[in-house]
Amino acid sequence: MSDETGTDTTPAGSTGGPRPEPLRFFGTTWVDHTGGYAVRRAAVALVALAAAAVSCLILRLAYQGLQIAGTGSFVTALVIVMFAVCGALAFRTTWDNFGRRPDPERQARLRGLLAVGFVGTLLAWSARSLTEAPGEKLHRTEYDAARAEYERTQSRRTGNPAKARKKRRA
């Protein structure tokens, strides 16, 4: 497997060449949009949206718990702002990671923020699934580049270059 693109360049069966990297929930159906690809995209969009809605209901219960506890308006506002900002940052980070390979160090630093802003991540998955499989564009670009490179390296020249005639200098 190539470290740079993540595309497997080992021979695939008898045809050889790079194999597409599977996507979460889609496998390799994103390559030719077969095997229930459209149904999977719709299911991912709906399930992610439903999970975001249930998560918002749970956050609403937490908010009511703060109100019942009488923690005051400052703590309540702080919690609301925290979830809103973390959700927006998680949405943006997840959305950006669909178009480029995430930096592992940055992801490790943002792990806590992404955990708090999980609703944003779910909304990003739902929104991206409406147009394509999340991460499909990135994987397609890498796969097409790997295929083109494989085709370029596998093309054969005709004839034996050692037997080529030397040009005479005039």
Side-chain angles (χ1 to χ4, degrees):
M1 182 169 289
S2 171
D3 289 337
E4 186 176 311
T5 63
T7 305
D8 191 354
T9 56
T10 58
S14 61
T15 61
R19 289 186 286 179
E21 184 178 352
L23 289 176
R24 181 180 294 168
F25 306 122
F26 295 93
T28 57
T29 61
W30 60 268
V31 176
D32 51 4
H33 295 181
T34 59
Y37 171 80
V39 173
R40 289 182 191 196
R41 258 189 41 214
V44 167
L46 289 175
V47 169
L49 190 60
V54 168
S55 300
C56 287
L57 289 175
I58 292 171
L59 290 177
R60 173 73 177 155
L61 290 174
Y63 173 78
Q64 287 177 343
L66 288 175
Q67 295 292 53
I68 292 170
T71 56
S73 61
F74 177 73
V75 172
T76 303
L78 192 64
V79 168
I80 291 171
V81 169
M82 176 195 62
F83 275 107
V85 169
C86 289
L89 289 173
F91 179 91
R92 179 61 187 224
T93 301
T94 304
W95 191 267
D96 287 345
N97 288 345
F98 291 143
R100 62 173 166 71
R101 293 277 176 182
D103 178 27
E105 289 181 21
R106 184 172 186 264
Q107 287 298 106
R109 287 192 311 261
L110 292 176
R111 184 169 292 137
L113 182 133
L114 294 174
V116 172
F118 64 98
V119 175
T121 300
L122 291 170
L123 291 175
W125 270 82
S126 179
R128 183 59 83 140
S129 294
L130 296 175
T131 57
E132 68 175 8
E136 178 181 349
K137 184 177 181 181
L138 170 69
H139 286 78
R140 186 170 302 284
T141 303
E142 292 173 350
Y143 177 63
D144 289 344
R147 265 194 8 220
E149 176 68 18
Y150 178 78
E151 293 297 325
R152 187 184 65 77
T153 60
Q154 294 301 312
S155 63
R156 304 278 189 236
R157 292 189 301 198
T158 58
N160 185 350
K163 291 184 179 179
R165 292 185 188 178
K166 304 275 184 187
K167 291 186 179 180
R168 295 185 185 178
R169 295 185 187 184

